[in-house]
Amino acid sequence: MAGLGLTERHVQAIWYDAALRPKRLVTRRGSEVFVVSPGEWNLGPGPDFRRAVLEVGAERRRVVGDVEVHLAPGDWDFHRHGADPNYRNVVAHVTWGGGPVPTSLPAGAISIWLGRFVTADLSFAPEQIDLAAYPFARLPLDGRPCERRFGSDPDGARAVLAAAGRHRLRMKARRLAGRLCERARSAAGRATDALAMARRQVFYEEVMTALGYAKNAAPFRRVAERVPLDALPREMPAARTALLVAGAFETWERAGLRPWNAPESRLAHAAEAFTETPVMELCEVRDFSRAACRQMVAAMCGARRRDEGGLRERCMGRGRAAAILANVIAPFALAEERTEDVPDWLPPEDVSEPVRLTAFRLFGRDHNPAAFYSDNGLLIQGLLQVHRDYCLCHHPDCAVCQLGDVSRE
């Protein structure tokens, strides 16, 4: 293996790409394996591929679950996956090399010695694999009705994504309306300003949740509950200390996070956002014109200022500010009927893994994001909704997916 210059990422690419993966695979116990779908390449913590679909044995028994890839079988135990609940749904352990099958694999999981089938092709060389093309530029070679429907129809695609985005924001608004009603009932009979404070607390918790990103959304909400808005110090250093102390009680997801995105850094940025930017004033917004939306994003980002050590970063990036606008501010206004409908345009937020993967499925490997969705946060929200409503439900059984039949709005 070392002589080949092969890494685990090479093995992941071989498993993922039908053009590289051997047509015939057999488990270590001799059962034939047919790969219906290699799964969704997982860039976060946990198994390498989620929701793979395999057919095993002469009877082609269908198996659905996660796939973990290693260079050697012993890496499973070396990384202590057997004791990690994130790996309990692994149905296949795919390795480059041979060796004893780990006894701590989940019950029923199969073991596939992939390398022996790949090296049977004497022309194989790892340097032929463009690792930068995975996972998004290279997708499994399965036919997708949605790509045939939308791949060459930007206008139709944008109309469907806009409808999906509006649906997503209305659902968020309904959830927020329910939270506001619940808090209003709990504030009944208290001081006259209790209702107003309860409303602002809901908004504060929602913004804090968004500042936690997907991985740490729930811990950030709990921090906001532990340090409520009316108890948050008005000076940034004290607010930062209060949030950091509250955060010390949480179990954080840190896998895959860069140092500047660590929970402690984000809590410090949250303290700055609530004390040095007008983010809380945005719970009163009625104007969602393009100009107003851009101004809201700029206000949330805060101003760059020089410290003793040099230029200080903004308290949040434009992508995160745009995500708060789409996920909190606009739905909050809809819930309180301060705006009649979802805006037709929102500032674009950062493109996440589900967005990118769904876009490649819908529009093909070589599509231009600017032609379909990347200039409008509402369309990005639409892609997230399509991913939830269709891709998670039907992929890889794309033939039964009805998205390609959706009429244009």
Side-chain angles (χ1 to χ4, degrees):
M1 287 186 293
L4 287 173
L6 185 131
T7 67
E8 190 172 287
R9 188 166 175 83
H10 285 96
V11 188
Q12 292 170 339
I14 293 167
W15 171 257
Y16 188 63
D17 195 334
L20 299 174
R21 189 176 60 247
K23 303 296 184 227
R24 182 176 183 271
L25 295 174
V26 177
T27 72
R28 297 289 295 278
R29 293 186 174 182
S31 298
E32 197 161 7
V33 179
F34 304 89
V35 180
V36 179
S37 167
E40 298 173 6
W41 196 314
N42 177 28
L43 299 181
D48 295 308
F49 297 91
R50 300 284 195 182
R51 292 176 284 276
V53 181
L54 312 176
E55 292 180 348
V56 182
E59 72 280 13
R60 299 190 73 133
R61 173 176 57 89
R62 178 162 281 212
V63 176
V64 180
D66 302 333
V67 174
E68 178 67 3
V69 172
H70 285 129
L71 288 176
D75 292 341
W76 173 272
D77 287 328
F78 181 76
H79 295 294
R80 300 180 180 178
H81 292 330
D84 188 338
N86 288 320
Y87 292 81
R88 63 188 171 207
N89 293 322
V90 166
V91 296
H93 186 217
V94 176
T95 65
W96 178 257
V101 176
T103 59
S104 60
L105 288 176
I110 62 175
S111 178
I112 301 174
W113 180 0
L114 184 64
R116 63 173 170 163
F117 299 104
V118 177
T119 53
D121 179 1
L122 298 180
S123 66
F124 169 77
E127 58 268 20
Q128 296 172 346
I129 301 175
D130 178 11
L131 295 181
Y134 297 91
F136 299 119
R138 299 285 175 86
L139 292 176
L141 299 176
D142 51 354
R144 292 177 298 280
C146 56
E147 182 181 347
R148 293 193 293 271
R149 165 70 169 81
F150 299 118
S152 58
D153 184 10
D155 292 339
R158 290 170 73 93
V160 168
L161 292 183
R166 283 192 284 270
H167 173 64
R168 183 177 178 83
L169 266 65
R170 290 188 190 109
M171 287 198 306
K172 291 178 181 291
R174 286 195 291 271
R175 180 183 65 81
L176 280 171
R179 289 201 69 207
L180 288 166
C181 287
E182 180 183 351
R183 292 295 176 88
R185 285 195 296 269
S186 66
R190 290 159 54 191
T192 55
D193 62 345
L195 180 58
M197 193 63 227
R199 169 184 172 273
R200 288 171 62 81
Q201 176 66 20
V202 170
F203 185 81
Y204 163 69
E205 290 174 7
E206 294 294 325
V207 174
M208 276 289 285
T209 301
L211 287 171
Y213 292 66
K215 289 184 177 180
N216 285 307
F220 264 66
R221 181 183 292 278
R222 289 192 292 268
V223 169
E225 293 169 349
R226 197 173 290 128
V227 184
L229 183 62
D230 60 355
L232 185 69
R234 301 306 178 196
E235 297 297 324
M236 200 273 281
R240 178 172 56 195
T241 299
L243 294 181
L244 288 173
V245 169
F249 293 92
E250 294 297 333
T251 300
W252 301 104
E253 176 58 70
R254 299 177 183 274
L257 295 181
R258 294 179 174 86
W260 55 86
N261 275 336
E264 293 79 8
S265 295
R266 289 180 179 166
L267 284 172
H269 290 159
E272 185 174 358
F274 288 110
T275 57
E276 302 194 15
T277 78
V279 63
M280 285 305 302
E281 297 174 14
L282 301 182
C283 68
E284 309 293 347
V285 169
R286 295 178 179 274
D287 181 2
F288 286 90
S289 64
R290 290 196 178 211
C293 286
R294 290 191 177 104
Q295 289 172 1
M296 282 188 273
V297 166
M300 283 187 280
C301 290
R304 286 188 183 273
R305 295 187 303 185
R306 290 190 177 276
D307 287 341
E308 293 180 1
L311 194 65
R312 191 178 74 188
E313 292 184 354
R314 299 180 187 275
C315 65
M316 72 177 81
R318 287 188 174 274
R320 183 50 24 184
I324 291 173
L325 175 55
N327 289 289
V328 181
I329 299 171
F332 204 82
L334 287 166
E336 296 189 325
E337 299 182 347
R338 282 179 282 108
T339 185
E340 293 183 0
D341 204 354
V342 178
D344 291 330
W345 183 90
L346 291 169
E349 57 194 270
D350 295 333
V351 176
S352 62
E353 177 188 350
V355 169
R356 193 177 292 112
L357 183 58
T358 303
F360 273 101
R361 284 180 181 153
L362 265 64
F363 311 132
R365 306 169 188 225
D366 301 319
H367 78 278
N368 176 12
F372 289 93
Y373 66 90
S374 66
D375 62 339
N376 188 340
L378 179 65
L379 304 186
I380 292 174
Q381 288 286 313
L383 278 168
L384 287 168
Q385 193 64 30
V386 167
H387 180 262
R388 197 194 81 162
D389 287 349
Y390 293 93
C391 296
L392 289 181
C393 298
H394 300 299
H395 187 77
D397 293 325
C398 292
V400 303
C401 179
Q402 302 300 311
L403 180 62
D405 299 328
V406 173
S407 61
R408 300 178 190 179
E409 189 171 277

